[in-house]
Amino acid sequence: MATAKEIIYNFKGQSPSKVYIGTDSDARDGVVIFATVLIVYKPGVGATYLYTLKKEYKHYDMFSRIFQETYLSLQMASFAKQMLELASPEIHIDVGYDGLSKEVLPAVVGYVKGMGYSYKLKPWAFAATKIAHRHTK
């Protein structure tokens, strides 16, 4: 079985690529499922992605869950840079300027920027809102 590094490098080759990372979560029946995705996109060719799931039997309020999602994305970004030797990824944060999550937006954006990563918010945060989201259900 191929490792994550082999899968990515077989797909990527020497072509320029972009890396996106995002996390989404869903709470049901006292269990919170976090899905974190790492997407490698080759312009003009397509993309591939890997994902991890984490289940926690813990209650989170919305703000704590968003911080946990951001933390898991930053952990994946560190793994991508150090272990997979990928270029600095763009972090997709599952918050936007509408809804309740806007209250936590400055804090999570500061967290991501403080760690040295670029970011996207809803509705442009497809790694979190589209790809990771499909693995939380």
Side-chain angles (χ1 to χ4, degrees):
M1 182 176 231
T3 66
K5 190 172 188 175
E6 291 168 340
I7 292 168
I8 290 169
Y9 278 92
N10 287 339
F11 173 77
K12 183 174 149 336
Q14 296 300 316
S15 303
S17 61
K18 296 180 180 180
V19 180
Y20 306 102
I21 293 173
T23 301
D24 191 27
S25 63
D26 187 46
R28 279 178 275 147
D29 302 324
V31 178
V32 181
I33 299 172
F34 293 94
T36 302
V37 298
L38 182 150
I39 302 168
V40 179
Y41 170 66
K42 283 173 45 171
V45 176
T48 190
Y49 73 93
L50 304 168
Y51 71 96
T52 64
L53 293 176
K54 179 179 181 182
K55 291 183 180 182
E56 291 192 6
Y57 299 89
K58 179 178 176 182
H59 173 73
Y60 282 92
D61 60 41
M62 184 188 66
F63 302 109
S64 298
R65 249 177 57 195
I66 291 171
F67 272 101
Q68 182 67 7
E69 289 175 7
T70 306
Y71 171 74
L72 292 170
S73 291
L74 291 171
Q75 276 190 322
M76 179 66 79
S78 177
F79 173 78
K81 284 177 69 175
Q82 294 174 7
M83 302 302 291
L84 301 179
E85 301 168 0
L86 294 171
S88 186
E90 181 176 272
I91 306 298
H92 287 193
I93 308 170
D94 193 17
V95 297
Y97 291 103
D98 296 326
L100 293 175
S101 66
K102 69 183 174 190
E103 294 177 25
V104 74
L105 188 145
V108 293
V109 165
Y111 185 20
V112 171
K113 285 172 63 175
M115 297 298 287
Y117 295 100
S118 61
Y119 65 93
K120 289 283 190 258
L121 303 172
K122 286 180 181 178
W124 301 280
F126 65 86
T129 62
K130 302 294 186 220
I131 309 302
H133 177 78
R134 85 173 55 148
H135 296 286
T136 62
K137 301 301 174 201

